[in-house]
């Protein structure tokens, strides 16, 4: 989908799977094949099976045939993911891409050296002396060479980014051919480093072509790419041409073409398998670094008993042993990863943050610690929120994959007139065009879908507007009963929309506390779960998918975001934005109306803090207190909060209506108002300790993203906002909560 300009407001055609879906499917497949190969050569073939059938040899042969696929495809996908970072500054990109990978390589090399010493007979490279360890740290990469190579490859790609891609790919292709032909000295795994540089560079420089190849994949292409790959393997094997100059890289190219095609087909047509592989593909790092010691331990425990096994069970085991052990190694590796995170050992999987002191624009010294946002330390989570409940970026990516085709992939809009006024490029995600009229549909669809899959027959929600409508629509899609609790003075249009979606409407008082109490009573009486409007991990992940799509669209258009601005009510949307932007240089800001700034006060206090909301035309941004779970996410990830008043919101509303012909509700227009203030340094901004003031936007930002969260607005309010006659409208019932 391209970025629309001016009046292009039609929603894009929903897609079955985005770029990240097929790429993560490919990564998940690769890590399975890597573990399977190590199981076969380091465990399975080391056992004396004493059987009269050539099954062990067949497993070994299969593993060898997949060698041209595994790491070349892995590095191609890695290059695709690194393509945007290559164009960023060294200061921004070097720490996560170079220092981060080298740090992980060093840490896990020490772990492997210590643990593998406990299994001296296990056939894998490991240092047995200080000199050997030093060599593995520098010039002779160990079995963790993938991390070593990623750091080196990124430096090469970044340093030579202005060299013509044809020259880079040609030279690196020759290097691959020379190494594969055995013409270079390649101690340790240096041969793999030489051979796979060309595939990483291909991912970086051929990304548009590769993503287009995946987007247009079909069964016919799958068949002929598989046939070409098999034919190339057959030629290489029959002619004993593995070390012929240029043969190995060519065979690997055919393998990568087949692998991308197969991954795209699985992502598009096999939802269950695709979801499993994509989820695994987003966790390849822990599997990669943990699996070798786990395999060594299993080999030590199982090799003897398995070799002594007799009877018919032996024949069955010899056929299925690699699959069983591979599954066990994957499961144990992921379990160990979760255990290490649970005890606070996140530093084993991410470069520790820099801690220092930063001066704000007024000269006040503020301490700042940039905590990792994908794996929040226990200290950053309120005691009332279990750390396992806090979602991460992988959950947002999984939500985006699952929601593809189930919700509208809304367009990204841009207006040159608004850009000129702001002094920066502003890209707006038009969630006012979403089903149900707001991005609330995303979180509701995900939460209801998961409950439907778990066997629930109904759901309960309380709302003053969009969330209730979204839950009702999602429940109808999944065949579940829905009960929506609304205030007694709910707007007629809102009641009609929820009822038209099939929901049972219950009226309860006029306050949030009354609605929550009633909703909980109904939930307990019916046995149907209550879906909170923002304090729910699936809701946060679903709302975050809108920000993730905006980030991806901006990158695809060659205008990557520097900042992302999201209106704040209960905090689900801004928390999802923080997760979507984690691991990137994008800085996330929340926007709150003056006097309705619970998140700003909560950040200052270090805990969720209630306020008495002031009247505002953006009634969807008037919850008494930000949710505990959104606060747990945003506390260490958000850059700051920008306050806007009703005049600024109305001005943004008019800009959207007149410049883009977009009808947004005031709560959605508040996002644009916040972006304009951030870029133009209008007045005072409320920020968390250690965050920059909004006025730095002009100096630091080129492209700012905004989520237009919804478009459900009453006709009377539209008429009066269009003429700026809204003073008495601040007390009207809103439609965005």
């Amino acid at each position: 989908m391209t970025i629309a300009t001016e009046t292009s407001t039609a929603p894009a055609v929903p897609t079955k799977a985005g770029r990240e879906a097929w790429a993560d499917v490919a990564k998940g497949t690769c890590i399975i094949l890597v573990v399977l190969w190590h199981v076969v050569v380091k465990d399975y073939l080391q056992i004396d099976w004493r059987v009269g059938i050539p099954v062990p040899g067949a497993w070994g042969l299969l593993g060898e045939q997949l060698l041209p696929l595994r790491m070349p495809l892995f590095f191609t996908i890695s290059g695709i993911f690194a393509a945007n970072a290559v164009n960023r500054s060294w200061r921004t990109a070097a720490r996560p891409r170079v220092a981060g990978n080298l740090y992980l390589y060093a840490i896990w090399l020490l772990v492997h050296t210590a643990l593998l010493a406990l299994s001296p007979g296990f056939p894998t490279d490991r240092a047995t002396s200080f000199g050997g360890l030093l060599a593995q740290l520098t010039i002779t990469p160990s079995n963790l060479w993938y991390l070593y190579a990623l750091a080196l490859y990124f430096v090469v790609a970044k340093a030579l980014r202005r060299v013509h891609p044809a020259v880079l790919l040609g030279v690196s292709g020759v290097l691959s051919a020379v190494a594969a032909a055995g013409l270079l000295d390649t101690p340790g795994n240096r041969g793999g480093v030489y051979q796979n540089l060309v595939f990483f560079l291909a991912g970086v420089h051929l990304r548009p072509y590769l993503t287009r190849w995946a987007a247009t994949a079909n069964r016919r292409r799958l068949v002929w790419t598989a046939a070409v790959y098999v034919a190339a393997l057959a030629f290489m094997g029959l002619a004993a041409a593995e070390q012929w100059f240029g043969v190995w890289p060519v065979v690997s190219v055919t393998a990568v073409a087949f692998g991308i095609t197969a991954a795209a087909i699985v992502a598009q047509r096999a939802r269950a398998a695709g979801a499993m592989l994509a989820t695994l593909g987003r966790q390849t790092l822990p599997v990669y670094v943990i699996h070798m010691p786990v395999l060594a331990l299993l080999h030590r425990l199982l090799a003897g008993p398995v070799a002594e096994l007799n009877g018919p069970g032996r024949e069955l085991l010899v056929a299925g042993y690699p699959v069983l052990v591979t599954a066990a190694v994957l499961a144990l590796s992921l379990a160990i990863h979760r255990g290490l995170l649970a005890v606070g050992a996140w530093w084993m999987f991410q470069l520790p943050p820099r801690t220092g002191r930063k001066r704000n624009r007024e000269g006040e010294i503020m301490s700042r610690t940039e905590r990792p946002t994908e794996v929040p330390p226990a200290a950053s989570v309120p005691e009332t929120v279990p750390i396992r409940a806090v979602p991460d970026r992988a959950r947002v990516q999984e939500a985006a994959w699952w929601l593809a085709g189930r919700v509208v992939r809304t367009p990204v809009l841009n207006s040159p007139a608004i850009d000129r006024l702001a002094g920066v490029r502003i890209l707006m995600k038009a969630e006012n065009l979403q089903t149900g009229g707001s991005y609330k549909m995303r979180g509701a669809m995900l939460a209801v879908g998961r409950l439907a899959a778990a066997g629930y027959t109904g759901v309960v929600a309380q709302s003053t507007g969009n969330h209730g409508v979204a839950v009702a629509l999602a429940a109808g899609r999944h065949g579940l009963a829905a009960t929506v609790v609304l205030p007694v003075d709910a707007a007629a249009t809102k009641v009609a929309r929820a009822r038209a979606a099939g929901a049972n409407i219950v009226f309860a008082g006029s306050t949030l506390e009354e609605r929550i109490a009633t909703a909980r009573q109904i939930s307990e009486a019916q046995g149907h779960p209550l879906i909170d409007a923002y304090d729910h991990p699936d809701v946060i992940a679903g709302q975050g998918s809108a920000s993730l799509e905006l980030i991806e669209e901006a990158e695809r258009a060659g205008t990557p975001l520097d900042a992302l601005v999201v209106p704040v009510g209960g905090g689900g949307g801004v928390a999802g934005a923080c997760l979507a932007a984690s691991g990137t240089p994008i800085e996330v800001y929340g926007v709150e109306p003056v006097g309705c700034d619970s998140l700003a006060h909560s950040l200052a206090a270090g805990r969720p803090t209630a306020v008495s909301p002031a009247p505002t035309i953006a009634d969807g941004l008037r919850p008494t207190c930000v949710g505990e779970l959104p606060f747990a996410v945003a506390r260490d990830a958000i850059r700051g909060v920008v306050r806007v008043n009703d005049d600024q919101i109305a001005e943004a509303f008019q800009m959207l209506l007149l410049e883009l012909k977009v009808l947004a509700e005031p709560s959605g227009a508040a996002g644009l108002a916040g972006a304009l203030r951030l870029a133009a340094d209008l007045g005072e901004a409320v920020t968390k300790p250690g965050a920059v003031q909004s006025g730095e936007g002009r100096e630091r930002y080129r492209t700012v993203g905004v989520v237009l969260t919804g478009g459900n607005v009453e006709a009377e309010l539209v008429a009066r906002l269009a003429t700026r006659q809204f003073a008495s409208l601040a007390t009207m019932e809103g439609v965005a909560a």
Side-chain angles (χ1 to χ4, degrees):
M1 185 184 70
T2 58
I3 292 180
T5 59
E6 296 295 340
T7 59
S8 299
T9 59
V13 178
T15 57
K16 292 292 183 181
R19 173 185 62 82
E20 296 225 8
W22 71 262
D24 284 331
V25 166
K27 287 181 64 182
T29 303
C30 286
I31 199 64
I32 291 175
L33 295 179
V34 166
V35 175
L36 176 63
W37 171 243
H38 289 159
V39 167
V40 170
V41 299
K42 299 179 184 298
D43 178 27
Y44 180 69
L45 295 181
Q46 306 300 317
I47 299 173
D48 184 7
W49 289 97
R50 292 177 284 117
V51 292
I53 53 178
V55 174
W59 273 109
L61 179 62
L62 175 63
E64 290 177 354
Q65 303 313 302
L66 294 173
L67 283 174
L69 172 66
R70 283 191 296 267
M71 299 316 294
L73 180 57
F74 222 145
F75 280 112
T76 301
I77 301 301
S78 298
I80 290 174
F81 286 151
N84 288 315
V86 166
N87 294 317
R88 298 188 185 276
S89 68
W90 279 107
R91 180 180 180 183
T92 299
R95 179 174 170 82
R97 296 285 178 174
V98 181
N101 283 321
L102 291 178
Y103 166 81
L104 292 175
Y105 177 74
I107 287 291
W108 283 97
L109 179 59
L110 296 175
V111 172
H112 279 210
T113 300
L115 295 181
L116 292 175
L118 302 176
S119 300
F122 188 68
T124 193
D125 292 335
R126 63 180 178 277
T128 57
S129 65
F130 178 76
L133 180 61
L134 187 61
Q136 288 190 342
L137 281 170
T138 53
I139 60 173
T140 309
S142 70
N143 51 41
L144 294 162
W145 68 277
Y146 176 72
L147 296 171
Y148 178 100
L150 281 180
L152 177 63
Y153 291 172
F154 186 83
V155 170
V156 172
K158 175 72 175 162
L160 303 179
R161 69 188 186 280
R162 300 190 186 281
V163 178
H164 196 283
V167 175
L168 281 178
L169 295 176
V171 172
S172 58
V174 171
L175 176 63
S176 179
V178 169
L183 302 178
L184 286 175
D185 182 27
T186 55
N189 287 288
R190 201 189 301 172
V193 175
Y194 293 154
Q195 288 176 236
N196 289 286
L197 172 61
V198 64
F199 296 101
F200 182 86
L201 294 176
V204 170
H205 292 285
L206 303 182
R207 173 182 172 180
Y209 304 100
L210 296 174
T211 54
R212 190 177 305 125
W213 177 277
T216 57
N218 53 48
R219 291 181 180 177
R220 181 177 179 182
R221 185 186 298 169
L222 179 65
V223 171
W224 72 255
T225 54
V228 171
Y229 179 31
V230 170
L233 287 173
F235 167 78
M236 187 169 65
L238 294 174
E242 182 175 334
Q243 289 195 316
W244 289 10
F245 187 86
V247 169
W248 182 270
V250 170
V251 174
S252 294
V253 168
T254 67
V256 170
F258 163 71
I260 293 177
T261 304
I265 294 294
V266 171
Q268 292 169 1
R269 305 190 181 189
R271 286 192 176 273
M276 180 196 72
L277 290 171
T279 300
L280 183 60
R282 292 186 287 269
Q283 303 177 78
T284 54
L285 172 63
V287 174
Y288 183 80
V289 298
I290 294 173
H291 83 274
M292 192 67 77
V294 170
L295 179 57
L297 175 62
L298 289 179
H299 178 71
R300 185 172 182 178
L301 294 175
L302 299 177
V306 168
E308 296 174 2
L309 184 67
N310 293 309
R314 187 179 188 84
E315 284 72 19
L316 292 175
L317 189 59
V318 72
Y321 183 90
V323 174
L324 295 174
V325 175
T326 297
V329 170
L330 288 169
L332 287 171
S333 298
L334 293 173
I336 291 170
H337 174 236
R338 289 192 295 270
L340 289 172
L341 293 182
V343 299
W346 55 267
W347 52 269
M348 297 184 72
F349 304 96
Q350 187 168 353
L351 182 65
R354 290 175 293 200
T355 303
R357 298 177 72 80
K358 193 177 185 75
R359 185 179 298 270
N360 72 359
R361 294 188 57 185
E362 283 67 40
E364 179 185 358
I365 297 295
M366 300 180 178
S367 62
R368 179 172 181 185
T369 301
E370 297 177 326
R371 295 186 183 274
T373 55
E374 291 193 72
V375 188
S380 71
V381 182
E383 293 180 359
T384 54
V385 181
I387 191 168
R388 64 180 178 275
V390 180
D392 56 12
R393 188 172 195 267
R395 193 157 183 174
V396 175
Q397 291 174 315
E398 184 177 0
W401 186 90
W402 190 87
L403 289 170
R406 291 181 168 93
V407 298
V408 176
R409 189 177 180 99
T410 54
V412 175
L413 310 177
N414 172 251
S415 165
I418 294 177
D419 289 352
R420 286 193 296 271
L421 176 66
V424 298
R425 182 187 298 107
I426 295 182
L427 304 180
M428 292 162 279
K429 182 70 168 168
E431 284 296 296
N432 57 304
L433 301 178
Q434 184 58 256
T435 303
S438 81
Y439 79 150
K440 295 282 188 179
M441 189 64 184
R442 295 173 177 271
M445 182 64 76
L446 181 63
V448 172
R450 287 170 61 89
L451 292 172
Y456 287 95
T457 58
V459 293
V460 180
Q462 68 77 25
S463 172
T464 64
N466 288 346
H467 178 66
V469 173
V471 169
L473 288 168
R477 293 260 193 101
H478 288 91
L480 272 63
T483 300
V484 175
V485 180
L486 298 174
V488 294
D489 54 353
T493 54
K494 170 180 50 184
V495 176
R497 286 172 181 162
R499 184 169 285 139
N504 175 39
I505 306 300
V506 175
F507 296 99
S510 59
T511 67
L512 174 64
E513 291 74 17
E514 290 172 306
R515 294 197 305 275
I516 289 178
T518 300
R520 286 176 176 168
Q521 291 175 357
I522 295 172
S523 175
E524 292 175 1
Q526 296 180 347
H528 295 163
L530 175 62
I531 302 176
D532 194 88
Y534 43 83
D535 221 349
H536 190 292
D538 289 331
V539 169
I540 291 174
Q543 321 304 41
S545 67
S547 294
L548 185 64
E549 287 180 8
L550 174 55
I551 291 169
E552 292 177 347
E553 292 295 327
E555 290 181 347
R556 191 173 295 120
T559 55
L561 300 184
D562 298 302
L564 179 58
V565 179
V566 182
V568 179
V574 76
C578 287
L579 296 177
S582 63
T584 76
I586 299 170
E587 297 183 334
V588 179
Y589 290 85
V591 179
E592 291 182 309
V594 173
C596 304
D597 46 2
S598 172
L599 178 57
H601 285 283
S602 299
L603 292 170
R607 64 183 183 279
T609 302
V611 297
S612 298
T616 175
I617 57 174
D619 253 31
L621 308 183
R622 294 187 70 241
T624 303
C625 186
V626 66
E628 289 187 346
L629 190 54
F631 179 75
V633 173
R635 175 178 178 176
D636 296 306
I638 196 168
R639 188 61 167 165
V641 177
V642 181
R643 288 173 173 168
V644 293
N645 58 37
D646 280 0
D647 281 324
Q648 292 161 341
I649 294 172
E651 182 181 5
F653 174 91
Q654 288 184 323
M655 285 184 191
L656 292 169
L657 190 63
L658 299 177
E659 295 296 334
L660 284 167
K661 310 302 183 287
V662 165
L663 180 63
E665 61 198 34
S667 298
L672 176 58
L676 291 171
R677 188 170 186 185
L678 182 67
D681 193 18
L682 297 176
E684 177 188 4
V686 178
T687 59
K688 71 169 186 175
V692 298
Q693 296 289 341
S694 65
E696 291 190 20
R698 173 176 295 169
E699 300 171 4
R700 302 180 61 214
Y701 302 144
R702 290 176 298 177
T703 305
V704 176
V706 176
V707 179
L708 303 178
T709 50
N712 292 327
V713 58
E714 299 290 339
E716 179 186 358
L717 183 57
V718 172
R720 301 189 65 176
L721 280 172
T723 57
R724 303 290 291 276
Q725 299 175 10
F726 57 89
S728 63
L729 297 179
T731 58
M732 289 183 60
E733 174 63 32
V735 296

